[in-house]
Amino acid sequence: MNISRDFAKLLLLAAFSISLLSGCATTRPKDTSVFWPQPPEKKRIEYLKSISAKTDIDDSRLNRLRESLTGEQDIEKIIKPYGVAVDARGRIYVTDAGNKSVLVFNENPAAGEDYLDYVGAGGSGTLVEPAGIAISKAGVIFVSDVVQGTVYAYNQDFEFLYAVGSKDSFIRPAGLAFNEVSQELVVIDAKSHNLKFFSAEGDSLRTVGEKGINESQFNVPSNVVCDKEGKIYVVDSMNFRVQIFNSAGEFVSTFGQADNIPGSFSRPKGITLDSDGHVYVADAAFDNIQIFQPDGTLMLFFGSAGSKPGQFQLPAGMCFDSNDKLYVVDQYNRRIQIFQYVSQ
Protein backbone atom coordinates (compact mmCIF):
# COMPACT_ATOMS: atom_id res chain seq x y z
CA MET A 1 0.00 0.00 0.00
CA ASN A 2 1.50 3.36 -1.11
CA ILE A 3 1.28 6.44 1.07
CA SER A 4 0.83 9.72 -0.81
CA ARG A 5 3.55 12.33 -0.65
CA ASP A 6 1.23 14.87 0.99
CA PHE A 7 0.19 12.36 3.65
CA ALA A 8 3.82 11.55 4.29
CA LYS A 9 4.54 15.24 4.84
CA LEU A 10 1.69 15.44 7.34
CA LEU A 11 3.06 12.44 9.22
CA LEU A 12 6.49 14.05 9.30
CA LEU A 13 4.96 17.33 10.44
CA ALA A 14 3.15 15.57 13.28
CA ALA A 15 6.31 13.77 14.36
CA PHE A 16 8.28 16.99 14.50
CA SER A 17 5.42 18.75 16.30
CA ILE A 18 5.57 16.18 19.10
CA SER A 19 9.31 16.75 19.30
CA LEU A 20 8.81 20.52 19.55
CA LEU A 21 6.17 20.23 22.23
CA SER A 22 8.43 17.99 24.27
CA GLY A 23 11.13 20.64 24.28
CA CYS A 24 13.57 18.99 21.89
CA ALA A 25 13.62 21.86 19.37
CA THR A 26 15.46 25.11 19.71
CA THR A 27 13.73 28.49 19.64
CA ARG A 28 14.49 31.44 17.40
CA PRO A 29 17.53 33.42 18.54
CA LYS A 30 16.70 36.75 20.12
CA ASP A 31 18.05 40.04 18.79
CA THR A 32 21.09 41.41 20.59
CA SER A 33 20.18 44.32 22.84
CA VAL A 34 20.49 47.63 20.99
CA PHE A 35 19.96 50.94 22.79
CA TRP A 36 20.88 54.65 22.89
CA PRO A 37 22.76 56.54 24.22
CA GLN A 38 25.73 54.34 25.02
CA PRO A 39 27.16 53.91 28.55
CA PRO A 40 27.90 55.65 30.81
CA GLU A 41 24.84 57.68 29.80
CA LYS A 42 21.47 56.34 30.96
CA LYS A 43 19.54 54.33 28.37
CA ARG A 44 16.65 56.28 26.81
CA ILE A 45 15.76 54.35 23.63
CA GLU A 46 15.88 50.56 23.34
CA TYR A 47 15.21 48.43 20.27
CA LEU A 48 12.56 45.77 20.92
CA LYS A 49 11.72 44.00 17.65
CA SER A 50 10.65 44.34 14.02
CA ILE A 51 7.51 43.30 12.16
CA SER A 52 7.59 42.64 8.42
CA ALA A 53 5.03 39.84 8.01
CA LYS A 54 2.23 37.97 9.74
CA THR A 55 4.69 35.27 10.78
CA ASP A 56 6.53 37.81 12.95
CA ILE A 57 3.57 37.90 15.34
CA ASP A 58 1.97 34.50 14.62
CA ASP A 59 4.88 32.65 16.18
CA SER A 60 3.25 29.25 15.89
CA ARG A 61 5.82 26.45 15.80
CA LEU A 62 3.48 24.42 13.61
CA ASN A 63 3.28 27.27 11.07
CA ARG A 64 7.07 27.62 10.91
CA LEU A 65 7.49 23.89 10.59
CA ARG A 66 4.87 23.63 7.86
CA GLU A 67 6.66 26.30 5.86
CA SER A 68 10.03 24.54 6.17
CA LEU A 69 8.61 21.14 5.21
CA THR A 70 6.21 22.07 2.42
CA GLY A 71 8.01 25.08 0.99
CA GLU A 72 4.92 27.25 1.42
CA GLN A 73 5.75 30.94 1.59
CA ASP A 74 3.77 33.44 3.63
CA ILE A 75 2.76 36.23 1.23
CA GLU A 76 1.12 38.28 3.97
CA LYS A 77 4.02 40.73 4.15
CA ILE A 78 4.62 44.45 4.24
CA ILE A 79 5.48 45.64 0.72
CA LYS A 80 5.46 49.46 0.49
CA PRO A 81 4.68 50.99 3.90
CA TYR A 82 4.40 54.65 4.80
CA GLY A 83 2.23 55.43 7.84
CA VAL A 84 1.68 53.67 11.17
CA ALA A 85 -0.76 53.96 14.06
CA VAL A 86 -1.70 51.91 17.13
CA ASP A 87 -5.20 51.69 18.61
CA ALA A 88 -6.31 51.31 22.24
CA ARG A 89 -6.20 47.51 21.91
CA GLY A 90 -2.59 47.54 20.75
CA ARG A 91 -3.36 46.63 17.15
CA ILE A 92 -0.72 48.00 14.75
CA TYR A 93 -1.99 49.67 11.56
CA VAL A 94 0.38 50.08 8.59
CA THR A 95 -0.59 51.92 5.41
CA ASP A 96 0.80 49.86 2.55
CA ALA A 97 0.60 51.05 -1.06
CA GLY A 98 1.97 47.71 -2.24
CA ASN A 99 -0.95 45.87 -0.65
CA LYS A 100 -3.39 48.69 -1.54
CA SER A 101 -4.77 48.61 1.98
CA VAL A 102 -3.99 49.13 5.65
CA LEU A 103 -2.43 46.05 7.25
CA VAL A 104 -3.57 45.46 10.83
CA PHE A 105 -1.22 43.33 12.93
CA ASN A 106 -2.91 41.92 16.03
CA GLU A 107 -0.54 40.20 18.43
CA ASN A 108 -3.37 39.19 20.78
CA PRO A 109 -6.35 38.34 18.58
CA ALA A 110 -9.68 37.69 20.26
CA ALA A 111 -11.87 34.73 19.34
CA GLY A 112 -12.73 34.88 15.65
CA GLU A 113 -9.92 37.33 14.84
CA ASP A 114 -6.70 36.68 12.94
CA TYR A 115 -3.16 37.89 13.50
CA LEU A 116 -3.44 39.98 10.32
CA ASP A 117 -6.43 41.85 8.94
CA TYR A 118 -7.01 44.56 6.33
CA VAL A 119 -8.72 47.94 6.12
CA GLY A 120 -9.90 49.30 2.78
CA ALA A 121 -9.22 46.12 0.82
CA GLY A 122 -12.61 46.04 -0.92
CA GLY A 123 -16.14 47.44 -1.07
CA SER A 124 -16.91 51.02 -0.09
CA GLY A 125 -13.79 52.90 0.95
CA THR A 126 -11.46 50.74 -1.15
CA LEU A 127 -7.92 52.13 -1.02
CA VAL A 128 -5.45 52.49 -3.89
CA GLU A 129 -2.40 54.17 -2.35
CA PRO A 130 -2.92 54.76 1.37
CA ALA A 131 -0.44 57.09 3.08
CA GLY A 132 -1.37 58.90 6.28
CA ILE A 133 -3.30 57.34 9.16
CA ALA A 134 -4.73 58.59 12.45
CA ILE A 135 -7.01 56.95 15.01
CA SER A 136 -9.17 58.98 17.38
CA LYS A 137 -9.77 57.91 20.98
CA ALA A 138 -13.35 57.21 19.89
CA GLY A 139 -11.92 54.53 17.62
CA VAL A 140 -12.47 56.14 14.21
CA ILE A 141 -9.70 55.21 11.76
CA PHE A 142 -8.82 57.93 9.24
CA VAL A 143 -6.73 57.05 6.17
CA SER A 144 -5.54 59.31 3.35
CA ASP A 145 -5.22 58.03 -0.23
CA VAL A 146 -2.81 60.09 -2.31
CA VAL A 147 -3.95 58.68 -5.66
CA GLN A 148 -7.67 59.09 -5.07
CA GLY A 149 -7.16 62.43 -3.35
CA THR A 150 -9.45 61.35 -0.53
CA VAL A 151 -9.50 60.71 3.22
CA TYR A 152 -11.68 57.82 4.37
CA ALA A 153 -13.06 57.03 7.82
CA TYR A 154 -13.64 53.49 9.15
CA ASN A 155 -14.96 52.10 12.43
CA GLN A 156 -13.18 49.74 14.84
CA ASP A 157 -14.47 46.75 12.88
CA PHE A 158 -12.79 48.19 9.75
CA GLU A 159 -16.11 49.05 8.11
CA PHE A 160 -16.28 52.15 5.91
CA LEU A 161 -18.09 55.09 7.53
CA TYR A 162 -17.68 58.18 5.32
CA ALA A 163 -15.35 60.22 3.15
CA VAL A 164 -13.86 63.35 4.72
CA GLY A 165 -14.71 66.59 2.93
CA SER A 166 -15.84 66.64 -0.70
CA LYS A 167 -14.19 64.99 -3.69
CA ASP A 168 -12.50 68.33 -4.49
CA SER A 169 -11.16 68.96 -0.99
CA PHE A 170 -7.61 67.70 -1.64
CA ILE A 171 -4.92 67.45 -4.29
CA ARG A 172 -2.57 65.06 -2.46
CA PRO A 173 -3.60 64.34 1.15
CA ALA A 174 -0.70 62.93 3.16
CA GLY A 175 -0.13 62.98 6.93
CA LEU A 176 -3.06 63.02 9.35
CA ALA A 177 -3.56 63.77 13.03
CA PHE A 178 -6.69 63.79 15.16
CA ASN A 179 -6.64 66.62 17.70
CA GLU A 180 -8.37 65.29 20.83
CA VAL A 181 -8.49 68.77 22.37
CA SER A 182 -10.38 70.46 19.52
CA GLN A 183 -11.99 67.22 18.27
CA GLU A 184 -10.78 68.02 14.77
CA LEU A 185 -8.98 66.08 12.06
CA VAL A 186 -5.89 67.82 10.68
CA VAL A 187 -4.94 66.82 7.12
CA ILE A 188 -1.69 67.69 5.34
CA ASP A 189 -2.36 68.49 1.67
CA ALA A 190 1.19 68.20 0.34
CA LYS A 191 0.64 69.60 -3.15
CA SER A 192 -1.62 72.40 -1.92
CA HIS A 193 1.07 73.27 0.66
CA ASN A 194 -1.42 73.71 3.49
CA LEU A 195 -3.27 72.21 6.45
CA LYS A 196 -6.97 71.43 6.23
CA PHE A 197 -9.18 71.11 9.30
CA PHE A 198 -12.31 68.95 9.53
CA SER A 199 -14.82 68.07 12.22
CA ALA A 200 -14.83 64.56 13.69
CA GLU A 201 -17.73 63.83 11.32
CA GLY A 202 -15.72 64.89 8.26
CA ASP A 203 -17.12 68.37 7.61
CA SER A 204 -14.72 71.00 6.25
CA LEU A 205 -13.86 73.76 8.74
CA ARG A 206 -10.89 75.86 7.59
CA THR A 207 -7.58 75.88 5.71
CA VAL A 208 -4.25 77.20 7.00
CA GLY A 209 -1.18 78.00 4.89
CA GLU A 210 0.06 78.41 1.34
CA LYS A 211 3.31 77.83 -0.51
CA GLY A 212 6.23 79.90 0.76
CA ILE A 213 9.06 80.18 3.26
CA ASN A 214 7.54 82.50 5.86
CA GLU A 215 5.64 81.64 9.03
CA SER A 216 2.47 79.60 8.33
CA GLN A 217 3.69 78.94 4.79
CA PHE A 218 4.83 75.52 3.57
CA ASN A 219 6.83 73.76 0.91
CA VAL A 220 5.57 70.17 0.52
CA PRO A 221 4.60 69.44 4.12
CA SER A 222 4.46 65.72 4.88
CA ASN A 223 3.35 64.69 8.39
CA VAL A 224 1.67 66.11 11.47
CA VAL A 225 1.09 65.27 15.14
CA CYS A 226 -0.84 66.91 18.00
CA ASP A 227 0.22 67.10 21.65
CA LYS A 228 -1.85 66.76 24.83
CA GLU A 229 -2.56 70.51 24.89
CA GLY A 230 -3.76 70.55 21.29
CA LYS A 231 -0.68 72.15 19.73
CA ILE A 232 0.01 70.98 16.18
CA TYR A 233 3.51 70.02 14.96
CA VAL A 234 3.99 69.96 11.17
CA VAL A 235 6.96 68.62 9.18
CA ASP A 236 7.53 71.33 6.56
CA SER A 237 9.70 69.00 4.50
CA MET A 238 11.20 71.13 1.74
CA ASN A 239 11.62 74.10 4.07
CA PHE A 240 13.61 71.70 6.30
CA ARG A 241 11.85 72.63 9.51
CA VAL A 242 9.08 71.84 11.98
CA GLN A 243 6.35 74.45 12.41
CA ILE A 244 4.22 74.52 15.56
CA PHE A 245 0.66 75.91 15.72
CA ASN A 246 -2.06 76.16 18.34
CA SER A 247 -5.24 74.11 17.95
CA ALA A 248 -6.85 76.85 15.86
CA GLY A 249 -3.98 76.77 13.38
CA GLU A 250 -2.29 79.98 14.53
CA PHE A 251 1.51 80.03 14.28
CA VAL A 252 3.44 79.52 17.54
CA SER A 253 7.08 78.75 16.68
CA THR A 254 9.43 76.85 14.39
CA PHE A 255 12.77 75.06 14.49
CA GLY A 256 15.15 73.41 12.06
CA GLN A 257 17.17 74.26 8.97
CA ALA A 258 18.79 72.56 5.99
CA ASP A 259 22.24 71.15 6.80
CA ASN A 260 24.06 67.85 7.28
CA ILE A 261 24.87 68.21 10.97
CA PRO A 262 22.91 66.91 13.98
CA GLY A 263 19.92 69.09 14.77
CA SER A 264 19.36 70.05 11.15
CA PHE A 265 17.36 68.32 8.41
CA SER A 266 17.93 66.96 4.93
CA ARG A 267 14.72 65.06 4.13
CA PRO A 268 12.44 65.16 7.19
CA LYS A 269 9.31 63.01 6.96
CA GLY A 270 7.78 61.37 10.04
CA ILE A 271 7.01 63.09 13.33
CA THR A 272 5.66 61.99 16.71
CA LEU A 273 5.74 62.84 20.44
CA ASP A 274 6.53 60.75 23.50
CA SER A 275 4.69 61.03 26.84
CA ASP A 276 7.15 63.71 28.03
CA GLY A 277 6.48 65.91 24.99
CA HIS A 278 9.78 65.33 23.18
CA VAL A 279 9.56 65.73 19.40
CA TYR A 280 10.82 62.85 17.23
CA VAL A 281 11.61 63.57 13.57
CA ALA A 282 12.54 60.87 11.05
CA ASP A 283 14.94 61.98 8.33
CA ALA A 284 14.88 59.80 5.21
CA ALA A 285 18.23 61.14 3.98
CA PHE A 286 20.09 60.72 7.28
CA ASP A 287 18.35 57.37 7.94
CA ASN A 288 17.93 58.32 11.57
CA ILE A 289 15.54 59.67 14.19
CA GLN A 290 16.32 62.96 15.95
CA ILE A 291 14.77 63.83 19.30
CA PHE A 292 14.17 67.48 20.24
CA GLN A 293 12.78 69.55 23.04
CA PRO A 294 9.70 71.49 21.82
CA ASP A 295 11.91 74.59 21.48
CA GLY A 296 14.12 72.74 18.96
CA THR A 297 17.00 71.83 21.27
CA LEU A 298 18.49 68.54 20.09
CA MET A 299 18.58 65.90 22.82
CA LEU A 300 19.57 62.70 21.07
CA PHE A 301 19.64 61.03 17.67
CA PHE A 302 19.77 57.34 16.85
CA GLY A 303 19.92 55.09 13.82
CA SER A 304 22.05 54.84 10.68
CA ALA A 305 21.78 53.43 7.17
CA GLY A 306 21.39 49.65 6.98
CA SER A 307 19.09 46.74 7.67
CA LYS A 308 20.18 45.65 11.16
CA PRO A 309 18.12 46.40 14.30
CA GLY A 310 18.08 50.14 14.81
CA GLN A 311 19.21 50.87 11.25
CA PHE A 312 16.95 52.32 8.57
CA GLN A 313 16.47 52.71 4.85
CA LEU A 314 14.09 55.65 4.32
CA PRO A 315 12.30 55.94 7.68
CA ALA A 316 8.88 57.53 7.31
CA GLY A 317 5.78 57.52 9.52
CA MET A 318 6.07 57.11 13.30
CA CYS A 319 3.81 56.89 16.33
CA PHE A 320 3.84 56.13 20.05
CA ASP A 321 1.40 53.90 21.90
CA SER A 322 0.14 54.41 25.45
CA ASN A 323 3.10 52.47 26.86
CA ASP A 324 5.71 54.73 25.24
CA LYS A 325 6.58 52.19 22.57
CA LEU A 326 7.81 53.88 19.41
CA TYR A 327 6.78 52.43 16.04
CA VAL A 328 8.82 53.49 13.00
CA VAL A 329 8.08 52.70 9.35
CA ASP A 330 11.34 51.51 7.77
CA GLN A 331 10.26 51.83 4.14
CA TYR A 332 12.94 50.17 2.03
CA ASN A 333 13.52 47.47 4.65
CA ARG A 334 9.76 46.76 4.43
CA ARG A 335 9.23 46.59 8.16
CA ILE A 336 8.05 48.32 11.29
CA GLN A 337 10.73 48.72 13.94
CA ILE A 338 9.56 48.97 17.54
CA PHE A 339 11.50 50.75 20.29
CA GLN A 340 10.90 51.55 23.95
CA TYR A 341 11.28 55.07 25.28
CA VAL A 342 12.59 55.04 28.86
CA SER A 343 11.16 58.09 30.59
CA GLN A 344 13.10 60.14 33.09
Side-chain angles (χ1 to χ4, degrees):
M1 177 178 173
N2 292 327
I3 300 176
S4 70
R5 180 178 301 174
D6 290 340
F7 187 56
K9 286 181 178 179
L10 289 175
L11 288 177
L12 185 58
L13 177 61
F16 272 101
S17 299
I18 294 172
S19 174
L20 287 173
L21 293 173
S22 65
C24 295
T26 58
T27 59
R28 286 178 174 177
K30 294 183 178 180
D31 290 302
T32 303
S33 180
V34 179
F35 55 88
W36 299 267
Q38 297 303 303
E41 299 295 326
K42 184 177 179 181
K43 176 173 62 179
R44 293 301 181 193
I45 301 292
E46 182 175 12
Y47 170 83
L48 298 180
K49 63 181 179 179
S50 295
I51 295 175
S52 59
K54 177 182 175 182
T55 49
D56 291 324
I57 58 172
D58 182 7
D59 201 29
S60 165
R61 290 171 171 176
L62 289 176
N63 284 347
R64 297 202 308 272
L65 191 59
R66 182 180 296 111
E67 181 176 330
S68 66
L69 291 174
T70 66
E72 295 176 0
Q73 296 294 318
D74 182 7
I75 61 172
E76 296 171 312
K77 297 180 179 179
I78 295 173
I79 299 175
K80 191 178 179 182
Y82 182 81
V84 62
V86 179
D87 69 12
R89 288 182 49 191
R91 296 181 294 187
I92 305 166
Y93 297 70
V94 182
T95 59
D96 191 330
N99 278 297
K100 296 185 177 181
S101 62
V102 178
L103 278 59
V104 186
F105 293 95
N106 189 356
E107 296 186 271
N108 299 292
E113 296 180 337
D114 199 356
Y115 288 92
L116 178 63
D117 213 327
Y118 300 87
V119 178
S124 299
T126 296
L127 298 166
V128 177
E129 190 172 330
I133 184 167
I135 304 175
S136 70
K137 286 186 177 179
V140 179
I141 305 159
F142 298 96
V143 183
S144 64
D145 191 307
V146 297
V147 169
Q148 299 186 90
T150 307
V151 175
Y152 293 125
Y154 307 85
N155 64 20
Q156 297 177 71
D157 296 320
F158 315 146
E159 298 167 334
F160 173 72
L161 295 175
Y162 52 84
V164 174
S166 68
K167 70 174 186 177
D168 299 320
S169 291
F170 312 103
I171 298 178
R172 190 177 178 86
L176 309 175
F178 190 82
N179 196 328
E180 294 292 344
V181 174
S182 63
Q183 288 294 295
E184 294 175 348
L185 177 69
V186 185
V187 182
I188 297 284
D189 196 344
K191 285 194 173 181
S192 293
H193 309 283
N194 60 30
L195 309 179
K196 291 183 169 70
F197 293 76
F198 298 85
S199 70
E201 295 75 32
D203 299 319
S204 180
L205 300 175
R206 61 191 179 279
T207 298
V208 172
E210 59 185 1
K211 188 170 185 179
I213 61 173
N214 298 321
E215 297 175 358
S216 299
Q217 294 181 329
F218 304 96
N219 188 4
V220 194
S222 55
N223 285 287
V224 57
V225 68
C226 300
D227 69 12
K228 298 173 184 176
E229 287 73 43
K231 291 199 293 295
I232 302 164
Y233 296 71
V234 180
V235 177
D236 188 5
S237 294
M238 297 311 295
N239 280 329
F240 311 101
R241 63 186 180 183
V242 172
Q243 292 200 65
I244 305 172
F245 302 84
N246 65 19
S247 60
E250 299 167 333
F251 177 82
V252 174
S253 61
T254 186
F255 68 85
Q257 61 183 1
D259 209 331
N260 61 357
I261 60 174
S264 61
F265 300 120
S266 180
R267 194 179 171 189
K269 295 184 76 171
I271 188 168
T272 191
L273 304 167
D274 64 29
S275 62
D276 290 326
H278 304 130
V279 185
Y280 293 61
V281 181
D283 198 301
F286 295 155
D287 287 313
N288 71 5
I289 312 297
Q290 299 188 80
I291 307 173
F292 299 88
Q293 294 281 11
D295 64 2
T297 301
L298 179 67
M299 299 177 60
L300 175 69
F301 64 91
F302 67 95
S304 59
S307 57
K308 296 178 181 179
Q311 295 183 331
F312 305 97
Q313 292 191 66
L314 289 185
M318 298 188 294
C319 75
F320 270 96
D321 68 11
S322 59
N323 296 312
D324 263 338
K325 287 182 181 178
L326 171 64
Y327 300 76
V328 182
V329 174
D330 190 2
Q331 282 187 289
Y332 274 18
N333 284 323
R334 299 182 180 184
R335 64 185 179 183
I336 304 300
Q337 294 200 64
I338 305 175
F339 304 84
Q340 180 69 57
Y341 165 61
V342 182
S343 174
Q344 298 182 32

